[in-house]
Amino acid sequence: MPQLLYQDAQTELLFIPVSRFHTTLVSVNFFVPLTKDDVSKNALMSSMLTTCGKNHPDFSALNLLLTKLYGADLTSTIGKTGDFGYYKFCVSAVNDRFAFGGDRPLADAVALLLDLVFVPKIENGAFCETDLNRERRLLIEHINGEFNDKRTYARTRMTEEMFKDRPFGIYRFGYEDEIRTLTGSEVYSAYKKMFANAFVQINVVGESVPDDLCRMITERFSSVERRMSFDRYAVSRPVVRNQPQLISQTMQVAQGKLVMGFSTTAGTDRDTVAGAVMADVFGGGPYSRLFANVREKMSLCYYCSASYVRSVGLLMVDSGVEAHNADKAQEEILRQLSMMQEGCFDDFEYRASLKSLRDSCLTAEDSPERLDAWYTARALQKEKLSPTEYAELIGTVGKDDVKKAAETVRLDTVYRLLPQEGASLC
């Protein structure tokens, strides 16, 4: 069970005790409202903070220091949950009791992480141009990599269209045209704004809390004026469109993509557990309705699966199709949903889904990284269920609950990425 060790209006320190790992992971997670004005600046800023700092200005020297700390790992991650983006700064290091000669790799690694995050490398009120250009190039390469992965690209485009006027539709890595022109002073201004406005959750996953961590955190944050102006518990309620929208695009691809976005229930784990089971029975695994019927029996697509984003009430079905099968695949997906809404799914599908979801929850306890991700995803909830508690909650969902959850599902957006005539394989 997680333990809340420190809390103020904008900060929580969560300790997740696990004794079976030889390492401890500490992550500092900043949650801020997603806005188009800030997303590109924040994305570029986040990568700057784990590659250099005022007291560690050289990237190569920083990596050498991590090596000396028994191979400590330092990372940054960009994500979003509901209407909020989050920026994760994380260090993982071997527990001090496994070190030699009085070394304190974990304590030193945590001190390094806090130093990088709180004391960035700033010159004349701006991030250094050399460092900025390096991270700018890497971020643009990442964006282009997602564009080249057409399944990821199609899912992103559907989300952008379905949530066009809402924060969840904002691409979390920012926009290439803006990233190319951002200055060091603009990115530094975004850094200061994030510190002032963010809700911060610090996760510690390991056998014990590093020495003086609470003191270091309170001292660091006490030096920053903070004024969080948003409700972090606000739930993003689905907006139902009067008529589903269809967006089609053609590219030089050999395999088409069909992505369908449905609105359904949003909320906390307890609010949406039946929806999670419903989505899994519908399209979660080889036992699901979509896999068994649309893919296997009817051979209408190369893959067909459903995923559920509880924070915004999004049920997404994505599939790889031949262009001439796109209409048939869409019709059959909707027919399978209609059957779900009528309660037409069997005990095997239902029980297989419960088992799969429970097993999937429990795998979150297999590594510090997964546990950290689990509690980061629940940072904006008042009740933070553990993987074991959520697995038990799944077991309480009955077949009638699944049917009722399916009845709330409504088609909102259909996005098709289809081959141009004479397209070459890519």
Side-chain angles (χ1 to χ4, degrees):
M1 288 291 295
Q3 302 172 17
L4 185 61
L5 300 185
Y6 171 80
Q7 184 179 38
D8 61 29
Q10 284 185 242
T11 312
E12 288 183 357
L13 172 58
L14 201 65
F15 173 47
I16 301 98
V18 187
S19 60
R20 63 182 177 276
F21 303 127
H22 291 173
T23 59
T24 293
L25 180 148
V26 177
S27 69
V28 183
N29 304 277
F30 291 81
F31 291 81
V32 293
L34 276 168
T35 67
K36 287 189 176 179
D37 289 341
D38 294 332
V39 66
S40 297
K41 301 170 190 174
N42 287 342
L44 187 53
M45 171 272 301
S46 69
S47 61
M48 298 286 293
L49 298 186
T50 51
T51 56
C52 60
K54 179 180 179 180
N55 300 319
H56 307 278
D58 182 79
F59 183 64
S60 298
L62 176 59
N63 278 319
L64 178 60
L65 176 58
L66 292 170
T67 301
K68 291 179 178 179
L69 293 176
Y70 294 72
D73 188 33
L74 185 67
T75 59
S76 64
T77 304
I78 300 171
K80 63 181 178 181
T81 177
D83 292 339
F84 301 91
Y86 67 84
Y87 303 89
K88 177 187 294 289
F89 308 101
C90 179
V91 71
S92 178
V94 67
N95 295 329
D96 290 346
R97 66 188 179 91
F98 295 108
F100 300 103
D103 288 348
R104 303 171 67 242
L106 175 58
D108 291 344
V110 172
L112 171 63
L113 173 66
L114 294 176
D115 194 52
L116 290 171
V117 171
F118 281 88
V119 192
K121 181 182 175 183
I122 302 301
E123 298 176 355
N124 300 317
F127 280 103
C128 173
E129 197 66 25
T130 301
D131 299 327
L132 191 71
N133 287 335
R134 179 189 66 237
E135 299 307 319
R136 192 199 317 271
R137 174 181 58 81
L138 293 173
L139 181 57
I140 290 173
E141 286 178 358
H142 180 89
I143 293 171
N144 290 335
E146 290 212 339
F147 172 81
N148 292 330
D149 180 346
K150 291 302 184 281
R151 183 173 184 179
T152 299
Y153 172 77
R155 289 169 61 93
T156 299
R157 286 289 297 116
M158 194 290 298
T159 303
E160 288 176 336
E161 293 293 341
M162 181 171 173
F163 295 86
K164 194 167 189 176
D165 300 317
R166 299 172 61 192
F168 192 73
I170 297 171
Y171 184 52
R172 68 185 188 278
F173 293 107
Y175 302 97
E176 182 176 344
D177 290 346
E178 294 180 12
I179 293 167
R180 289 188 181 279
T181 60
L182 286 174
T183 65
S185 60
E186 289 174 322
V187 178
Y188 183 50
S189 295
Y191 165 84
K192 292 188 290 186
K193 181 179 179 180
M194 182 188 74
F195 261 79
N197 296 330
F199 167 72
V200 181
Q201 179 169 296
I202 300 102
N203 297 331
V204 180
V205 185
E207 62 183 15
S208 62
V209 179
D211 293 342
D212 295 330
L213 179 60
C214 288
R215 178 189 57 77
M216 287 190 289
I217 289 170
T218 54
E219 286 180 355
R220 293 287 191 178
F221 278 112
S222 64
S223 64
V224 181
E225 183 180 347
R226 305 175 71 197
R227 52 183 188 282
M228 187 174 73
S229 57
F230 57 89
D231 179 6
R232 63 186 173 103
Y233 297 130
V235 175
S236 179
R237 299 298 180 187
V239 177
V240 180
R241 213 177 294 274
N242 291 330
Q243 291 291 330
Q245 60 175 342
L246 171 64
I247 294 96
S248 294
Q249 186 177 359
T250 59
M251 279 190 185
Q252 292 289 320
V253 295
Q255 182 188 113
K257 309 296 178 188
L258 170 66
V259 188
M260 303 170 67
F262 302 82
S263 65
T264 185
T265 304
T268 66
D269 283 333
R270 293 190 187 277
D271 298 330
T272 60
V273 63
V277 177
M278 176 273 299
D280 199 70
V281 174
F282 185 41
Y287 46 80
S288 68
R289 304 291 304 175
L290 295 183
F291 185 92
N293 294 282
V294 185
R295 183 186 186 277
E296 293 295 291
K297 290 182 181 178
M298 302 184 71
S299 299
L300 292 175
C301 51
Y302 297 97
Y303 60 86
C304 189
S305 64
S307 57
Y308 179 46
V309 184
R310 60 166 175 76
S311 60
V312 290
L314 166 63
L315 175 65
M316 182 188 298
V317 175
D318 71 310
S319 52
V321 298
E322 297 286 352
H324 65 273
N325 280 333
D327 287 336
K328 295 177 184 177
Q330 180 174 325
E331 290 172 6
E332 185 58 25
I333 290 167
L334 292 174
R335 191 177 80 86
Q336 291 299 325
L337 175 61
S338 179
M339 293 177 67
M340 291 279 299
Q341 292 170 334
E342 295 169 3
C344 295
F345 53 92
D346 59 36
D347 284 345
F348 167 76
E349 294 162 340
Y350 163 70
R351 296 188 184 284
S353 178
L354 291 185
K355 185 178 188 307
S356 175
L357 285 173
R358 286 197 298 258
D359 290 346
S360 178
C361 287
L362 296 177
T363 62
E365 299 178 342
D366 289 348
S367 72
E369 290 76 16
R370 289 185 179 184
L371 276 170
D372 173 58
W374 177 274
Y375 287 102
T376 300
R378 287 153 179 80
L380 304 182
Q381 294 183 200
K382 292 181 180 179
E383 183 182 25
K384 296 175 175 59
L385 297 181
S386 69
T388 300
E389 289 173 325
Y390 189 64
E392 293 172 354
L393 186 61
I394 288 168
T396 67
V397 176
K399 290 184 69 175
D400 192 53
D401 298 319
V402 175
K403 177 180 179 295
K404 289 178 180 178
E407 290 171 351
T408 68
V409 176
R410 297 290 183 273
L411 179 63
D412 184 284
T413 300
V414 178
Y415 173 80
R416 294 181 179 184
L417 177 62
L418 299 176
Q420 296 176 349
E421 291 187 9
S424 58
L425 181 64
C426 67

